[in-house]
Every structure is written in structure tokens, then in C-alpha cells.
Amino acid sequence: MSDHGDTAPLLGEQRQPEYGAVEEAPPVAESRTSFKRNLGTAEAFSIIISIVIGSGIFTSPGSIDTNVPSPGFALIVWLVGGILAWTGAATMAELGTTIPGEGGVQPYLQYIFGDVFGFLAAWTWIVAVIPASLGIMSIVFVESVFSAIGENNRTQGPLHKLLSILVLIVFSMANGISTKATNRLNRFFVTAKFTAIAATFVAGIAVVVYHLAAQTDKSTQDWWTKSWFGYRTSVGPDGSEIDWSKVTRWEMLGHYSAALYGALWAYSGWDKAIYITAELSAPARQLPLAINTAIPIVVGSYIAVNAAYYILLPWDVVSTSDSVAVTAFNHLLGPGVGLLAAAVICLVVAGSLLGSAFVGSRMIVSASNKNWLPRFLGRVGYIGLRPASPSDESDAPINALIFSTACSALYIIFGNFRALVTFNGLGEYSFFFLTMVGALVLRFREPKLHRPYKPIVLIPVVFTLVSGFVVARGAVFAPFQAAVLIAVWGLGLGFYWARRWWLRRRG
């Protein structure tokens, strides 16, 4: 009986057998899929936009502004975060077109480092990263609704948690209709996202044009009278002040890293297009095209919107607000327009929820197809172990959606927004770092491997260095979340070996 998962060298030339199999399995690059190749570039573009442009652009600016000495530096942080997201997405596109498969980073890590690493990546995403992300967005959706009606109680009590779970269930059910229905909804939410961004940008331009054309008194306008790169005193949400002229270089680095962490959270989702590589009709062409079109649009949109925030609001208000967009429209046009802005932001978050639930269920199906999870979780089109009748079948992974929803509900019950954001970031970037290292290893180990898309080597190198820094910093400043993540990994390894043993006994 072959057991390559145990004996093959981590960095050696290898093809991994299917988890728990008793005979040699086909290479990872020939993995079986459960979905039809009926998606194109437009759908991939729509999914990337739908996931990446979420609540972050409307909630993160305040936390970023608190940790930088001036608005100009804040815009640079947004640019740097966008470039890093683009380098990561480009490397993912290389791997996605070279090693076809379902489930995000898991087929790449399995191919490069072995079965255990592939499983652990899948396990972390299935039970930690994606459920935490869905929990975060459900909480943000409910909090946005409460803000829209003038209720600012953010204690996330039982009512908030219950409503967050109901929101989660609704969008999971929407994904359970069919892939076509989900894509139609995604296109609608993409429209809502661009509407919100365009409205904010146009409002900022209108204010500039009005004040310049009307020759009004601009002495009270911070965007006109103050230096965009001059040091100022920042005010945090708790009223604390930071005098940047007295901050040491080491402290400055800590603040910049905190600001970058906020920007990366706002850009999170850039990797999600690779989750549907197995459903693209021509992935070698469509995936790079979708990524290299969507990410620059997102980066440009984020920078434009943040510049508009600094035009629409007094600069000492930006850092104190967790709902900058709503605050900006309230300040400019009154509470009625602020209410409308809050409603649009709810649509934006809804789009991210829909897209994240969509790709999360695909990862569960992929893990089930590799025999890492029970087989019924990989069934597509029906609830339970087998369809009641042929007419009941659809193309939605309903069992996987139910499982993901249940995990997310637990995070909502026992977690809170800030803790889940940190936990989610640690889980994601741990494996992003490992994946980028793997991409570099693969270039040296298999230089002749067919790569339909191959960015310059500097791209994965840059992201490897930055993602390693993000993980190390997060572990130091959030030891509790890091300990929970390590516990999740330990539990996953126990499950891996127990299931492997059980399957071999059956075989």
C-alpha cells in the first residue's frame, strides 16, 4: 500500500494520493470537480468585485487615519495595500492556471508540500477563515441597519447576534437556489457597490468645484488650508490624541503596520476568484484577465473614495468615525441622505456576504471530493445523502452551505467584530504566506512546468515578505487569537489522522 503522504520529502518532486486512498491516485493537477465549466470572465470579474468591495472601504478609513500622521500618508497606505493585494492575486492566478483544482489555496499547497498541508489549509478556511468572515459581514450588516435607524448601541447583544444569524441564513439560502441565480444577484450588488463609490467620489468633486467656482470662504475647509502631507495631531475614537512630531520611528512603524492591516482587511477577497477556477470555461485566459482588470479598478476606487472623505469631512472627524461614508453624507446633505447612504452600504455588505458564501461552499465541496471531509458535504444539488428524485437536483452545493452557515453562526454567538477581524486575518495570511513561499519553491523545483500565466518573480517575493510580516505582527499583538488558531490547527491534524485511520480500516 502506497503512503506518499507520509514519506515523500516536503520539497521533493511528488504527486500526492487522494486522502485516505488505498491505491495510487491521479496527480493533483487532474483532480475531479463537481461543477460544470459554465462561468466566464464577466462572472469571475463580478465575483472579485462583489467580495473585495465590502464594508471595509466604508468602515476602515477611520482606523487607518488614526494610525497615520496625515491624509496623504493614509492615501499612500491605501495604495500600498492595493499593490500588495494585486501581487498576491497575480501569484494566485499563476498557481490557479498551472495547477487546476477546486478550493482556493489547498490544491497548490497539496501539490507543493504534500497532503497534510493541503488538508490543513482547507480545514483552516472551512472551520475558521470563511465562517469568521461571514460572521463579520453579518454583524456589520446588522450594525449598519441599526445605524440607519439612529440606534448606535454596538454592544452586539443577543438581539444583534440573533439578527446577524438570520441575515446569514437568508444569504446562504440565496446561494442555494442555483449558480445562475447567485450570479444574477452578484451583478446587482456590483452595481450597488459602484453606485456607492461613484456617489461619494462625485460628491467630493462637486464640493471642490463649488468652492472654487463660487469663490466662497475656504478658510474653514481643511482640504484647502492644510497640508495633505503635513504632520497633525490625530484623535482616536476614545478621544486619545497622537502628536506625530513626538512619535519615535519604532512607534511610527507600529502605527503604519496597524494602518496597513486595516487596508488589507478592506482589500480582503482578492484571492477568491481562484476558488472558481474549476468552473471557468477557459481559466488560463479568463482568470488573469479578471484579476488584472478587477484589482486595479478596486485600488483606484478606494483611493478616490478616501480622497473624497477628506474633502467632505473635517480631518479631525475622519479618525473618530467607524461609518465614514454615512458621516460624510450626513455632514454634507443632512440625515435623510445619510439614511440613504446607510441603506446602500447595507447592499454593499450583502453583496460581499453572497459572494463569500458562494466561494466558501465551493471549498467545502473540494475538500469532500478529496475525501478530507464526509462525502455528503460534497454532494451538489440536494440536501442529505442522496436526492429524493431527479427533479430535485440543482447545481448548488446545499449541504456545504448548511455546514458553513452552522459554523458561522457559532462564531457570531461566541465572538465579536474586532476579535473576528484579527482571527480571520491571522488565519488567511498564515496560508497566504505559505502559498507564496510554495510558488517560489515551485519555480525552482519545476522550472519547466507549463505556466499559462507567469508574472515576474519579484511579485511573489514582495508578497511573501509582507505577508510574513503581517502574520508575525498579528501573533505578537493578538496572542489570544493566535492561540485559538493554533488550537484549530491541532484539532484539524487530529481529525486528519483519525479520519485517515478510519478510512483505511474500512478499505
Side-chain angles (χ1 to χ4, degrees), residues 447-478:
K448 296 183 180 180
L449 186 67
H450 178 60
R451 293 174 172 85
Y453 177 72
K454 186 180 179 181
I456 61 174
V457 71
L458 182 63
I459 288 179
V461 168
V462 168
F463 195 88
T464 298
L465 295 175
V466 176
S467 59
F469 169 76
V470 169
V471 172
R473 182 193 178 280
V476 170
F477 287 91

Side-chain angles (χ1 to χ4, degrees), residues 60 63 69 71-73 77 89 137 209 211 250 285 316 326 407 409 412 423 426-427 433 461 469 489:
S60 292
S63 62
F73 282 105
V77 167
M137 286 181 282
V209 171
H211 283 282
W250 177 251
R285 176 179 58 84
D316 59 354
V326 176
C407 291
I412 292 173
F423 180 69
L426 281 173
F433 170 76
V461 168
F469 169 76
W489 291 340

Side-chain angles (χ1 to χ4, degrees), residues 115-151:
D115 197 64
V116 174
F117 283 84
F119 168 82
L120 203 56
W123 173 267
T124 303
W125 249 260
I126 289 168
V127 305
V129 171
I130 290 177
S133 180
L134 291 172
I136 290 167
M137 286 181 282
S138 299
I139 292 170
V140 169
F141 185 96
V142 170
E143 293 302 324
S144 298
V145 172
F146 274 86
S147 295
I149 61 176
E151 173 58 59

Side-chain angles (χ1 to χ4, degrees), residues 51-98:
I51 296 173
V52 176
I53 301 179
S55 61
I57 184 58
F58 305 106
T59 58
S60 292
S63 62
I64 292 174
D65 184 75
T66 302
N67 286 289
V68 294
S70 70
F73 282 105
L75 297 181
I76 290 175
V77 167
W78 281 103
L79 176 61
V80 171
I83 292 173
L84 292 175
W86 198 356
T87 60
T91 307
M92 290 293 189
E94 174 189 346
L95 292 172
T97 55
T98 302

Side-chain angles (χ1 to χ4, degrees), residues 170-184:
V170 167
F171 285 99
S172 294
M173 290 174 61
N175 267 304
I177 299 171
S178 71
T179 298
K180 288 184 178 180
T182 299
N183 283 324
R184 292 193 191 101

